[in-house]
Amino acid sequence: MTRMQPPVKELLPRLTPILKNRHEKVQEACIDLVGRIADRGASFVSPREWMRICFELLELLKAHRKGIRRAAVNTFGYIAKAIGPQDVLATLLNNLRVQERQMRVCTTVAIAIVAESCSPFTVLPALLCEYKVPEVNVQNGVLKALSFLFEYCGELGRDYCYAVVTLLEDALSDRDQVHRQTACVVVKHIAQGVYGLSCEDAVLHLLNFVWPNIFETSPHVINAVM
């Protein structure tokens, strides 16, 4: 990295316009390169420049090509690891307010990857706080992010499952079907991750809230419950 010509701090600003290139394979390769730089040479670039890249990457979460979205989401993880999760997380949580569903889903995956890269305790407090916002899209986004977070963390979820019990109680008894459906998926990932790790009391308590949803008529909710 130290011998690169041009130097990394000059190369990165030149890559930013290429992120807007209309050719999808060029975009994907460029995002991968930015991710590699964030992974291996983040110290050569200022945090302000990395935040500028983050705002550019947000636009790419609505790309049609799945590879572009995946590369952008992974790059968020590398940048968060490089400059700390707080600023990156604030940007992503703001993005949960957009109307476009695909963009919100990609944002929740990015939040979970930030949690995986920087440990869940850096992300969970902000997610729990964000759930208080009385907006359906934001609350659904938080639940979706928790679902991916516990899926990616696996056994690490043992240390954090008790922290989200009250939030999941609220979601599982909410009037909104999508809230209950997503909360059921979160409980599933928690149960799979903490199996055999002495967290049965929390899981059993949550299952008592999951069980009444078996009488729901929506096939999506029934599928999540089963």
Side-chain angles (χ1 to χ4, degrees):
M1 279 290 182
T2 49
R3 297 177 188 172
M4 274 186 67
Q5 287 299 328
V8 171
K9 65 178 179 182
E10 290 177 23
L11 175 64
L12 200 64
R14 294 181 193 178
L15 289 175
T16 313
I18 304 173
L19 290 172
K20 295 173 183 172
N21 192 297
R22 289 188 178 181
H23 195 290
E24 291 177 335
K25 287 192 174 179
V26 173
Q27 267 188 331
E28 192 176 343
C30 185
I31 298 165
D32 277 333
L33 179 55
V34 170
R36 295 275 176 92
I37 293 171
D39 189 27
R40 299 177 187 180
S43 55
F44 296 104
V45 183
S46 70
R48 184 179 290 179
E49 182 63 32
W50 282 123
M51 282 310 299
R52 201 169 65 79
I53 295 285
C54 279
F55 286 115
E56 296 288 342
L57 289 174
L58 282 180
E59 289 301 309
L60 296 169
L61 292 180
K62 51 185 168 187
H64 293 297
R65 189 185 176 95
K66 190 178 179 181
I68 293 174
R69 300 198 301 270
R70 190 191 297 123
V73 157
N74 289 334
T75 302
F76 271 114
Y78 292 132
I79 294 174
K81 201 170 185 180
I83 66 170
Q86 283 75 24
D87 291 333
V88 177
L89 187 59
T91 307
L92 290 170
L93 288 173
N94 264 337
N95 216 39
L96 290 178
R97 290 169 167 77
V98 299
Q99 289 300 311
E100 203 172 334
R101 183 183 174 276
Q102 178 186 289
M103 203 167 179
R104 290 201 310 273
V105 171
C106 288
T107 302
T108 59
V109 176
I111 290 170
I113 285 178
V114 169
E116 189 185 20
S117 306
C118 305
S119 297
F121 69 84
T122 59
V123 170
L124 263 180
L127 280 178
L128 296 175
C129 193
E130 197 70 15
Y131 189 77
K132 294 177 184 175
V133 175
E135 201 175 314
V136 176
N137 283 348
V138 174
Q139 292 184 345
N140 279 338
V142 168
L143 290 168
K144 199 84 174 163
L146 286 174
S147 168
F148 288 124
L149 188 153
F150 282 104
E151 184 181 357
Y152 297 163
C153 289
E155 291 184 1
L156 268 180
R158 173 183 61 180
D159 301 323
Y160 307 102
C161 64
Y162 291 98
V164 296
V165 165
T166 49
L167 182 150
L168 290 173
E169 281 176 17
D170 180 79
L172 287 164
S173 51
D174 196 278
R175 284 187 175 187
D176 185 43
Q177 282 187 344
V178 182
H179 264 54
R180 284 180 277 126
Q181 177 190 328
T182 316
C184 287
V185 178
V186 180
V187 174
K188 178 183 84 171
H189 290 310
I190 290 174
Q192 287 173 337
V194 304
Y195 173 73
L197 298 175
S198 304
C199 296
E200 288 81 5
D201 53 344
V203 175
L204 191 62
H205 177 65
L206 289 171
L207 284 175
N208 285 331
F209 283 86
V210 170
W211 181 240
N213 290 290
I214 199 76
F215 300 109
E216 196 50 76
T217 51
S218 162
H220 297 295
V221 178
I222 292 292
N223 191 36
V225 171
M226 298 305 281

